Amino acid sequence: MAAKAGDNPDSLMALTTAFCLRNLRRTMCYLGERNKLCLRSDVFLPSEICDKLVNTYMELVHMDSNFEPQDGFFQLFSDPHSTRLTRVQLREDFVRDRDLEAIGKQDLIELHLTYCNNLSAHSLRTLTRFRQTLVSLSLFGCSRIFYRKGGAPLACDEEEEEERPASRQVPDTDFSFQGFNRLRLLNLGGLPEEVDAEALLKPLPALTSLDLSGVPLPKAAFLAHWKERLASLVLYNVDLSEELINTVVELGHLRHLDISRERTSKFKMTRKILTAIVQGLVNLVSLDISGHIMLDNCTVPHFEEAMGRPSIEPCKSSIYPFQELKRPLQFLGLYNTTLCNVTHIPAYKVTGSKNEDQVLNAIEAYTEFRPELAHRAINQLFDIARIQHCSQLLRALQLVIAALKCHKYDKSIQVTGSAALFYLTNTEYRSDQSVRLRRQVIQVVLNGMEQYQEVTVQRNCCLTLCNFSIPEELEFQYGRVNRLLLKILEPARQDESIQRIAVHLCNALVCQVDNHHKEAVGKMGFVKTMLNLIQKKLQDRMCDQVMEFSWSALWNITDETPDNCQMVLFCQGMLGFEFPDKQELHRNMLGLLGNVAEVRALRPQLLTPQFISVFSNLLDSKADGIEVSYNACGVLSHIVFDGPEVWAMEEPLRDTVMDKMMDAIQSWDVTSRRNINYRSFEPILRLLPQSIAPVSQHWATWALFNLVSVYPSKYCPLLIKEGGIVLLEKVLELQTSHEGTKDMARKVMEQCENFKEDPMETTR
């Protein structure tokens, strides 16, 4: 079968890097004095490996909750004789002044800092160490880096600095880009207005790319200083003026211009201004004017422009100023403008909201630095996936995953992104998705659940998990997903819909998994959480799906796991239960008690007049076909199997109960289809060759006869594999066995023999 798109395995480099970072002490490092992490003396790492280590480390810190950040990690790269760093990307508040200082001796070519709000002017000093080599620098969203904290000397203790209130921060006016002669690309998005952009930029002779998003530019003429070099200029959310536009139009070497905005402004985009931009900037290949209000009519009349198939030829452009382009633009940003709705747009890639392609282009273009626009575009993708049909599924999923990864701490992105994922992973689209892609979805969903206890995010994430095969697709994150679901169920008054979905997921996760998984989840508090939910429902006299799923989950998690059975009794869960009138619950409750009854050490706790009377009465139940009666009989079969000497009650008598059990078994239809799933017959087989409780033997033989008759392909091989045929032969040899039991035993053996002989059956 051909591999699905996006299913390529991780590279060996990526796998090795992640392994080393998770096992630093076992691979590259040792613990030195004062438990300080040190690089081994025989290790030399070239820049390709060092860059990968640092950038992957940042990704793991933000994306993997199981990954432990290492104190002093950046110190490993302090010596350029053993490590070489050249291209580093650091994000969010996690990065501190001391981290940047630790790598201060490296010859960095690229340094991208994004939303690093814990960096202060101390890091500006560190930047000057890279001035000889730095070609590309981003300080996007790092506004605090231009402030000294509390006006204190730069050498003050960092821990002490962090405690100082932000209100006492004062701008650092001493820093200058003097000596950064190689710097070509600079991103100062979000530069505080107290910092004079002109004075800061003046010493930079070689700039070719400049991003001043959100930076006030009262006097813009200074930009002409780079008119012979500047190829890219980003002025997103900059208040435009006639002076600024006139300066921009003079920058004749510009290939990329972005004057888009998200906020409303007094400035209106006119046909004249657009024409001036197109005429003045003849090298332009990329233009973004998203968010602008067009003052006068820039477009040809509708009846004229709607003629013919959509074209990207400038001469056919529906937007007048673009008819003067010499060739179509590579990129044109028209998001949140009326222009995106016209027919003929002379660009290969357009952002807008007219169709799926424009919306996906917008998510792609705006995710990293413009979460407010990406959020709107993801919302529109959500509507496309929900109401229409998403035709570029793989791309859509990858873009939403990237947005959720990039903006883990942005609630609006998490809400819209998780909602979009629910529709993009449902049954309609499932066949097109690779294992790797679906795993990435699970990872970002769990990150969202971890980060936000808020109702909408939690509900969206839980609903999205319901689109996966459980437990198979979630098994690689088994412990984590259970931990998060149990945390959701902790509050006594959780939102009803979330509670219902979370309990359903918990139940599905403990069904059909190995016992070591069940034991691990039991230790997390699974049993106690379910019992608390049941007790709460009993107090409220409410029997709903939460109650039903909770019982079912307890039945599943106690299957062949004595420790979990012990917990059910230890939590005194069984002692406080009043059996509700809802008969459909009886099967789940008795299934759970059947698991408890299979544990010999726990059976004495079920041997009370109260319990035995309840089980005995339920033998007559017709609820859920034969299931309630069958399960009640199973519980009693294990209890009477311990012999008359442990039956210390006067009422009800053991013989009376056994007679009632035999009557119940004989009333059942052996062709009944079953609402039950056995992964092993061991608990049933142990009741076979014995004479202390012939009725238990009879129940066990009936159970096997029913299962191999109705589901031969599933249960005949299981019975043969677990040695059941030998045990049934012993039943035939015992004089104490009822004739009816022996008759059923022969039929079971016959059924298994026929199954082996019929090749059609085995290959089904």
Side-chain angles (χ1 to χ4, degrees):
M1 194 173 76
K4 291 173 186 172
D7 212 10
N8 298 328
D10 285 328
S11 68
L12 188 57
M13 177 72 161
L15 292 169
T16 310
T17 305
F19 178 82
C20 288
L21 288 168
R22 292 178 194 278
N23 300 278
L24 281 171
R25 289 178 213 173
R26 286 166 50 202
T27 52
M28 305 151 37
C29 303
Y30 67 94
L31 276 186
E33 292 176 20
R34 298 183 190 171
N35 280 345
K36 183 185 169 189
L37 200 64
C38 303
L39 202 64
R40 281 175 25 193
S41 58
D42 57 347
V43 170
F44 171 77
L45 300 173
S47 60
E48 295 84 355
I49 291 174
C50 289
D51 293 351
K52 187 84 177 162
L53 281 167
V54 171
N55 295 332
T56 304
Y57 177 77
M58 289 306 296
E59 198 173 309
L60 288 171
V61 164
H62 290 298
M63 292 309 302
D64 189 342
S65 62
N66 296 323
F67 183 76
E68 285 290 322
Q70 286 285 341
D71 199 33
F73 172 77
F74 290 93
Q75 204 63 44
L76 298 176
F77 305 91
S78 59
D79 183 1
H81 293 104
S82 54
T83 55
R84 295 274 170 84
L85 277 174
T86 53
R87 292 175 168 82
V88 176
Q89 298 178 15
L90 308 177
R91 289 184 70 87
E92 314 287 351
D93 298 356
F94 170 78
V95 184
R96 306 293 170 118
D97 288 333
R98 60 174 173 263
D99 300 325
L100 213 53
E101 192 171 12
I103 59 173
K105 291 180 182 174
Q106 295 286 354
D107 292 338
L108 292 188
I109 294 170
E110 276 179 27
L111 176 60
H112 289 191
L113 304 172
T114 311
Y115 302 120
C116 299
N117 283 315
N118 273 326
L119 296 182
S120 71
H122 192 87
S123 286
L124 282 181
R125 296 290 169 277
T126 306
L127 282 184
T128 59
R129 299 188 194 174
F130 310 125
R131 62 179 178 267
Q132 305 291 336
T133 55
L134 216 53
V135 172
S136 177
L137 173 66
S138 171
L139 300 177
F140 184 85
C142 304
S143 54
R144 291 187 193 168
I145 201 170
F146 292 97
Y147 292 96
R148 298 185 190 187
K149 293 176 181 172
L154 286 169
C156 86
D157 181 66
E158 189 173 323
E159 302 302 327
E160 190 185 310
E161 275 192 58
E162 282 165 19
E163 291 169 17
R164 297 175 187 273
S167 58
R168 290 182 57 197
Q169 292 184 338
V170 293
D172 181 291
T173 52
D174 300 337
F175 175 76
S176 157
F177 278 119
Q178 197 69 46
F180 285 74
N181 295 332
R182 297 187 64 193
L183 199 62
R184 303 280 189 279
L185 292 82
L186 179 61
N187 185 337
L188 292 177
L191 185 74
E193 56 184 295
E194 294 95 331
V195 181
D196 184 342
E198 181 178 352
L200 193 64
L201 293 167
K202 228 168 190 172
L204 295 170
L207 278 187
T208 59
S209 173
L210 181 60
D211 187 326
L212 295 173
S213 295
V215 178
L217 296 175
K219 293 181 290 180
F222 77 92
L223 291 172
H225 180 59
W226 297 279
K227 70 177 182 181
E228 297 303 320
R229 305 190 66 99
L230 211 56
S232 171
L233 179 62
V234 177
L235 302 174
Y236 171 67
N237 270 345
V238 171
D239 289 329
L240 298 181
S241 63
E242 202 172 321
E243 184 206 0
L244 182 49
I245 292 292
N246 290 338
T247 303
V248 166
V249 171
E250 285 178 37
L251 306 173
H253 289 270
L254 275 187
R255 294 172 60 76
H256 170 63
L257 174 63
D258 184 339
I259 48 172
S260 63
R261 56 185 311 104
E262 178 254 341
R263 302 190 289 267
T264 52
S265 103
K266 295 174 187 172
F267 184 86
K268 302 293 186 288
M269 185 65 68
T270 64
R271 178 171 167 179
K272 182 183 173 187
I273 291 170
L274 261 187
T275 304
I277 288 171
V278 172
Q279 288 175 344
L281 305 178
V282 292
N283 295 306
L284 214 56
V285 293
S286 166
L287 175 65
D288 202 330
I289 55 169
S290 297
H292 278 289
I293 297 167
M294 311 307 296
L295 189 64
D296 54 5
N297 193 1
C298 272
T299 57
V300 302
H302 179 67
F303 67 87
E304 220 177 282
E305 69 106 18
M307 289 169 65
R309 293 181 59 177
S311 168
I312 62 166
E313 289 305 314
C315 60
K316 294 183 182 175
S317 171
S318 301
I319 305 161
Y320 282 126
F322 295 147
Q323 290 178 355
E324 300 202 28
L325 287 167
K326 292 188 171 53
R327 68 197 74 81
L329 294 169
Q330 294 295 320
F331 174 90
L332 179 56
L334 299 177
Y335 192 72
N336 207 18
T337 71
T338 51
L339 299 182
C340 71
N341 296 309
V342 300
T343 306
H344 308 296
I345 302 175
Y348 293 101
K349 188 174 271 192
V350 179
T351 68
S353 49
K354 180 185 179 182
N355 53 39
E356 181 184 332
D357 203 45
Q358 288 187 1
V359 168
L360 292 178
N361 289 340
I363 300 172
E364 185 175 41
Y366 305 135
T367 285
E368 188 171 8
F369 297 126
R370 302 176 196 182
E372 58 283 354
L373 293 185
H375 160 246
R376 282 192 219 165
I378 293 169
N379 228 344
Q380 286 160 337
L381 174 64
F382 162 74
D383 283 333
I384 291 167
R386 180 173 62 97
I387 301 162
Q388 302 160 30
H389 176 81
C390 184
S391 57
Q392 299 180 55
L393 174 73
L394 183 67
R395 186 180 176 215
L397 260 180
Q398 287 170 331
L399 288 172
V400 175
I401 289 168
L404 287 167
K405 276 184 175 181
C406 190
H407 298 287
K408 182 180 173 182
Y409 309 106
D410 185 315
K411 187 179 151 190
S412 59
I413 292 264
Q414 292 297 320
V415 170
T416 52
S418 56
L421 284 183
F422 170 70
Y423 285 100
L424 291 169
T425 54
N426 69 16
T427 317
E428 182 188 356
Y429 300 115
R430 186 169 183 168
S431 59
D432 300 324
Q433 293 164 15
S434 67
V435 172
R436 180 191 173 96
L437 196 62
R438 286 176 75 80
R439 284 193 167 197
Q440 287 178 346
V441 172
I442 291 164
Q443 292 273 29
V444 292
V445 162
L446 297 182
N447 286 343
M449 288 170 74
E450 230 155 30
Q451 191 64 31
Y452 294 95
Q453 306 311 308
E454 194 269 339
V455 172
T456 318
V457 177
Q458 295 280 358
R459 187 189 294 112
N460 290 351
C461 290
C462 284
L463 282 169
T464 302
L465 291 178
C466 292
N467 286 337
F468 290 81
S469 297
I470 303 169
E472 299 83 8
E473 287 191 282
L474 298 182
E475 204 158 351
F476 80 107
Q477 293 279 291
Y478 195 77
R480 186 181 176 203
V481 71
N482 273 292
R483 212 166 23 251
L484 287 168
L485 290 169
L486 293 179
K487 193 174 180 185
I488 287 173
L489 292 169
E490 262 173 30
R493 288 287 171 204
Q494 178 57 279
D495 174 88
E496 188 70 30
S497 63
I498 296 179
Q499 195 177 61
R500 189 171 61 251
I501 304 161
V503 176
H504 161 73
L505 284 166
C506 281
N507 186 23
L509 278 160
V510 291
C511 187
Q512 299 292 306
V513 289
D514 293 338
N515 290 354
H516 74 274
H517 276 327
K518 294 181 183 181
E519 284 161 7
V521 173
K523 288 183 179 128
M524 282 179 200
F526 188 101
V527 173
K528 190 176 179 185
T529 300
M530 294 302 141
L531 288 171
N532 286 346
L533 287 171
I534 291 167
Q535 292 282 26
K536 189 78 197 69
K537 294 294 175 186
L538 286 169
Q539 285 166 21
D540 294 347
R541 300 195 175 282
M542 186 185 287
C543 182
D544 57 7
Q545 280 187 311
V546 171
M547 176 84 139
E548 199 175 320
F549 288 150
S550 301
W551 274 110
S552 183
L554 285 174
W555 181 7
N556 283 319
I557 201 172
T558 52
D559 184 30
E560 294 183 51
T561 46
D563 286 354
N564 290 343
C565 292
Q566 172 73 58
M567 275 184 229
V568 171
L569 296 174
F570 178 72
C571 292
Q572 296 189 322
M574 309 318 295
L575 304 180
F577 291 142
E578 306 156 18
F579 278 71
D581 297 331
K582 297 265 185 170
Q583 285 192 313
E584 61 268 23
L585 277 181
H586 292 175
R587 178 177 64 89
N588 290 348
M589 297 163 83
L590 282 160
L592 161 63
L593 291 166
N595 291 337
V596 174
E598 287 171 11
V599 184
R600 182 164 195 159
L602 300 180
R603 285 202 282 272
Q605 294 183 62
L606 298 179
L607 236 166
T608 66
Q610 178 200 7
F611 274 133
I612 299 299
S613 298
V614 170
F615 302 147
S616 193
N617 290 336
L618 287 170
L619 289 168
D620 301 327
S621 171
K622 297 290 181 279
D624 200 9
I626 67 165
E627 296 300 331
V628 169
S629 179
Y630 170 89
N631 282 325
C633 200
V635 173
L636 291 167
S637 292
H638 288 287
I639 291 171
V640 298
F641 174 66
D642 287 339
E645 61 275 11
V646 299
W647 196 282
M649 295 174 292
E650 290 185 16
E651 281 295 322
L653 289 169
R654 183 172 179 266
D655 287 346
T656 308
V657 171
M658 290 199 296
D659 289 344
K660 202 168 177 189
M661 288 164 66
M662 188 60 83
D663 291 343
I665 296 167
Q666 285 168 348
S667 73
W668 301 337
D669 178 0
V670 82
T671 64
S672 300
R673 295 193 73 78
R674 305 300 307 286
N675 198 351
I676 200 163
N677 182 35
Y678 285 100
R679 290 188 302 121
S680 168
F681 282 144
E682 197 277 325
I684 294 176
L685 296 178
R686 73 172 77 133
L687 300 175
L688 284 180
Q690 48 90 11
S691 56
I692 203 158
V695 71
S696 302
Q697 185 189 63
H698 193 68
W699 174 82
T701 311
W702 187 96
L704 295 174
F705 183 32
N706 165 254
L707 293 167
V708 299
S709 303
V710 181
Y711 309 102
S713 61
K714 181 173 183 181
Y715 290 120
C716 285
L718 185 64
L719 185 62
I720 294 164
K721 179 185 162 195
E722 294 192 338
I725 304 300
V726 176
L727 297 174
L728 288 165
E729 284 169 350
K730 289 183 180 173
V731 169
L732 297 177
E733 292 166 13
L734 284 171
Q735 290 182 345
T736 50
S737 302
H738 289 270
E739 277 310 313
T741 310
K742 290 181 178 180
D743 187 40
M744 281 193 297
R746 288 188 198 98
K747 287 175 179 170
V748 173
M749 292 160 72
E750 208 174 287
Q751 184 75 35
C752 289
E753 196 57 42
N754 291 343
F755 176 81
K756 279 198 294 186
E757 286 171 8
D758 182 357
M760 292 303 291
E761 199 78 58
T762 56
T763 55
R764 267 204 311 206

